[in-house]
Amino acid sequence: MPVYKAPTRDARFVVNELLALESYGNLPGFENATPDMTDAVIDEAGRFTSEVIAPLNQVGDAEGCTRHADGTVTTPTGFKDAYRQYREGAWGTLAAPIEFGGQGLPHVIGFVMEEFLASANQAFAMYPGLANGAISAIVAKGSPEQHTTYLPKLVAGDWLGTMNLTEPHCGTDLGLIRTRAVPAVDGSYAITGTKIFISAGDHDLTENIIHLVLAKTPDAPESSKGISLFIVPKIMVNADGSLGARNAVSVGSIEHKMGIHGNATCVMNYDGATGFLVGEENKGLAAMFIMMNAARLGVGIQGLAQAEVAYQNGVAYALERRQGRAMTGPAEPQEKADHLFVHPDVRRMLMDAKSFTEGMRALCLWGALQVDLSHKAGTQHEREAADDLISLLTPVIKGYGTDLGYKTATDMQQIWGGHGYIIENGMDQFVRDARIAMIYEGANGVQAMDLVGRKLALNGGRAVQALFALVDAECAAAGGDATETLVAERLAKACGELKAATMWFLQNGMTNPENIGAGAYAYMHLTGIVAVGLMWLKMARLAARTLTDGTDETLFYEAKITCARHWAERFLPQAGALRREIEAGAEAIMALPAEAFATA
């Protein structure tokens, strides 16, 4: 049976010590974010996810979801009761707006819960997680009436939401969608079409589901400029807020997937279903990006989450399994073999995993703070600066975070050897569940192109220049502790490679745009290595200061310093190779004719 214990101590370290959340107490929403309060929320979230949600992970994987003849779906054993406890505990309301029934806490706290929930059971976490994007879009673009009708129920978790974007013939290229929205005399629209890969498309967790559907009106342009967004309830909502008739939306089938079996990934059929326009006609793209950006950060957290739970099980096995002897001689001569921990290659994988998960956790929660500051910072300049940073790093958190999350899951499976390939031990599920995060909400190649093709040039490159300035300032401030100095030196060099790669794109991307496409993925990873390196420099400095001041948790802080050193010695040097990969350009990649790839 796989194990999971939410990393509450590390989350508290990031929230209270690294981010010093209490120091923002003068800003709206931060007033109650005291260490005592955040510690209590984090610890209880850890208990709930570890004890209630995690035991259902293998259950959901084995059972999957069931579609019934009437086009409805039931979830695996235990999911409905667990969701009831989730809703009654108000876990989905942590960072939701107060005016609609939320607790209004910083997104930082909400992100902690998202990680714990996804580590415990990613398939389960996707049900309430998808409602966050729907809430964000309705808050930003919905009418006052839509706010009143839908948001209190969505925030409370009485209803859940979905995002309906993809169709059989189009994925990322949403300009190709065929779903049609025909206006009716009462101001509503008749929605007709088929959507695929719809996570949580139907289930038995709530009495209603609010689908947000992209469609085109009859006279809309055929490009992405003709997209509109519609609210399509599963059950119609009466004027008094009660539920009415069943809408003309149903599940055609449930996809048979590699992983996340406990989540109902559905083919959705809209047969003249009643929908309501969100925002302006033909302006659905802006609303879509609100949903997508929220979802992409959430998926980045899923990458971290699967890495964390796989890492915990890799550690547990390495502590238990005896195999071979230490290279320097038997560590325990009285035993027939030593534990796996004596082997440097096993240690390599475990150190890679520990330094990634803790560094990525810091980056995700630091990113959540930027989300908060982009809305609530005291000045327009501060809000703009925070928005620049999180906009730039969203594709990095999603792309790099899920790539390394998947690699970590496979590395931890590798530690188990042949036993990791056996289903009962659960390591295969972490690998299978982690794989989808690299694909959905925009495949990672799309994230890389978003970063290089859109984000770098935005506002004259203001965001990436801000990142460079932040890294430069942190490196310049380093001193004293030997590890901090090492990390700063290696980070400064890696950031220099990132600056050079950025300049190369500016010089060579305009003359041949394929150079951007060929190098974008490497650039995303280079940015991820630097961004996580920035977090490790901050953490190394904080840990060294804490040890100097004196602490009862010496092992915890010494481990931070060792992990920072590991990132500096093993990850930051990859920056040079990634830069050279970028500067190779597109010539060889694009040289072969398509028929040369055929093998038969």
Side-chain angles (χ1 to χ4, degrees), residues 321-341:
R321 175 73 166 175
R322 291 184 180 275
Q323 190 79 28
R325 289 296 192 184
M327 297 181 72
T328 54
E332 297 180 84
Q334 73 279 11
E335 300 289 345
K336 292 182 178 180
D338 293 331
H339 287 115
L340 290 180
F341 261 95

Side-chain angles (χ1 to χ4, degrees), residues 392 450-464 506:
L392 177 75
D450 178 46
L451 173 64
V452 178
R454 294 182 65 248
K455 301 297 175 59
L456 284 189
L458 206 61
N459 299 312
R462 189 175 68 199
V464 74
L506 293 174

Side-chain angles (χ1 to χ4, degrees), residues 257-315:
K257 311 183 297 291
M258 174 180 173
I260 53 169
H261 296 156
N263 193 271
T265 306
C266 300
V267 174
M268 303 297 296
N269 294 325
Y270 293 86
D271 301 306
T274 301
F276 306 94
L277 181 67
V278 179
E280 298 179 50
E281 189 175 330
N282 299 334
K283 300 291 185 181
L285 203 59
M288 180 205 72
F289 274 115
I290 293 170
M291 291 190 292
M292 289 294 288
N293 285 333
R296 285 170 175 175
L297 289 171
V299 172
I301 292 172
Q302 289 177 3
L304 161 64
Q306 290 306 300
E308 172 64 34
V309 68
Y311 165 70
Q312 290 188 19
N313 284 272
V315 170

